[in-house]
Amino acid sequence: MFNSISMTQMAASIAKALGVEAPKLAREPIPQVEKLIENTCGKPVVDRIMIYNPDAIGMWLYQKYTKEFAPVMERTQLAVPVATVMPSVTPVCFGSMYTGAFPEEHGIMKYEKPVIKIDTLFDAMVRAGKKVALVADDDSSMSMIFKERDIDYYIMPYDGECVEKGLELIKEDKYDMVIVYNMEYDDCMHDTVPESDVSLAAMKHHIDAFAKLVDAVKENWASHDTLVCWATDHGIHVEGNPQSEYYTHGNHGDYIPEDINIMHFYGTCPKKDR
């Protein structure tokens, strides 16, 4: 019922891709990510990483609306079925994504947004002398739980401004890792249901944003070997009576495949002068 690759393996995979020591409690990296880099770039590490974090895009959405995900698939070479952690809510899941640790280790066990105190991917990057930019919506989990690190934070009003800032930072080409978080789909599916018109429109906005960011990487980071990643935090389900618009809404947080199973996508953009 549940995917076998754990969310806790992503942090070490990203660290290894940049030749950086993993966060102290991170689980083992995903071997297919290293193989992807080796096979496409001719070496086990890259120079740059761009991570796009769309909130709440469950695996079943990809399975049901596969054609809509064509821009993501066309810009990546590896699709990884991942199991997120419990409870499957945003700060808990992103806490595990960027520490490689389980919730009881990083300390966020419910929907709350304290600053994580254990070692994170951001700390590992700083120790290695890497420059990191984190772009996130104001008051979001991503804007709050990873504070107090020696990285550059760009906290924007909402998704559109986040994507524009991400494009700007990629064009500047001064960061080793750029992370862009978006939350429109999660907002819309909570207000309605996961497959409402507004929710599916938001899903497409995230897909389009990823495509724009990767295209900007290809144009502006052409002198670097780059890893790009689509990494969502958790899935979603319909809660309530499907026959009643008044008591039905989208939700997540349960130990069910709809909430736990997600897809991550990895791609490489080898430098052009090789």
Side-chain angles (χ1 to χ4, degrees):
M1 293 178 64
F2 298 103
N3 295 333
S4 59
I5 296 174
S6 172
M7 173 75 82
T8 59
Q9 296 179 249
M10 179 178 159
S13 297
I14 298 299
K16 193 169 187 179
L18 268 181
V20 171
E21 185 177 347
K24 292 181 172 60
L25 296 182
R27 270 48 184 189
E28 69 277 8
I30 303 166
Q32 290 83 359
V33 176
E34 183 178 11
K35 290 179 181 177
L36 168 67
I37 296 169
E38 182 73 53
N39 291 339
T40 55
C41 298
K43 57 180 183 176
V45 296
V46 294
D47 311 310
R48 294 280 189 274
I49 292 181
M50 190 283 293
I51 301 174
Y52 180 62
N53 290 137
D55 202 306
I57 306 295
M59 182 174 178
W60 67 265
L61 286 173
Y62 165 71
Q63 292 171 321
K64 186 169 182 178
Y65 298 97
T66 306
K67 289 183 180 180
E68 303 293 350
F69 282 82
V72 177
M73 294 185 287
E74 291 163 359
R75 289 165 175 80
T76 56
Q77 300 93 22
L78 177 64
V80 181
V82 172
T84 194
V85 294
M86 276 293 290
S88 48
V89 294
T90 301
V92 177
C93 298
F94 277 123
S96 287
M97 183 185 297
Y98 284 102
T99 64
F102 286 103
E104 58 268 24
E105 297 170 315
H106 64 64
I108 304 181
M109 299 287 291
K110 60 183 179 179
Y111 190 86
E112 59 181 0
K113 304 174 187 178
V115 176
I116 289 178
K117 299 300 182 181
I118 72 165
D119 201 37
T120 69
L121 181 63
F122 304 106
D123 301 300
M125 291 293 174
V126 170
R127 285 195 296 272
K130 304 295 184 182
K131 295 189 65 176
V132 178
L134 173 58
V135 187
D137 302 76
D138 188 29
D139 199 39
S140 67
S141 297
M142 282 294 286
S143 72
M144 300 180 72
I145 66 175
F146 299 116
K147 288 180 178 179
E148 302 175 8
R149 270 77 191 183
D150 190 17
I151 65 174
D152 290 342
Y153 300 91
Y154 297 91
I155 309 305
M156 314 304 292
Y158 204 55
D159 284 8
E161 293 87 349
C162 287
V163 175
E164 289 304 313
K165 176 56 70 172
L167 293 171
E168 177 185 322
L169 297 177
I170 291 168
K171 187 175 181 178
E172 290 176 1
D173 189 19
K174 68 178 184 179
Y175 290 101
D176 301 291
M177 184 165 72
V178 173
I179 298 167
V180 178
Y181 167 80
N182 276 176
M183 63 189 291
E184 183 187 4
Y185 177 79
D186 186 69
D187 285 346
C188 289
M189 74 89 198
H190 277 301
D191 289 341
T192 59
V193 290
E195 295 180 89
S196 69
D197 289 344
V198 292
S199 294
L200 292 179
M203 180 188 78
K204 293 176 185 177
H205 293 161
H206 294 333
I207 291 168
D208 290 343
F210 180 74
K212 289 179 181 179
L213 291 164
V214 175
D215 290 349
V217 164
K218 291 179 178 178
E219 179 180 353
N220 296 283
W221 291 359
S223 61
H224 304 288
D225 288 316
T226 301
L227 179 71
V228 298
C229 180
W230 162 293
T232 192
D233 52 343
H234 56 71
I236 67 283
H237 67 271
V238 176
E239 196 162 279
N241 180 2
Q243 306 304 317
S244 172
E245 63 179 303
Y246 300 105
Y247 299 101
T248 305
H249 62 281
N251 207 354
H252 53 87
D254 293 348
Y255 189 58
I256 55 176
E258 291 86 348
D259 289 5
I260 298 297
N261 289 343
I262 53 178
M263 290 292 293
H264 285 186
F265 298 88
Y266 293 87
T268 56
C269 303
K271 61 183 178 181
K272 292 184 179 179
D273 57 356
R274 175 169 281 104

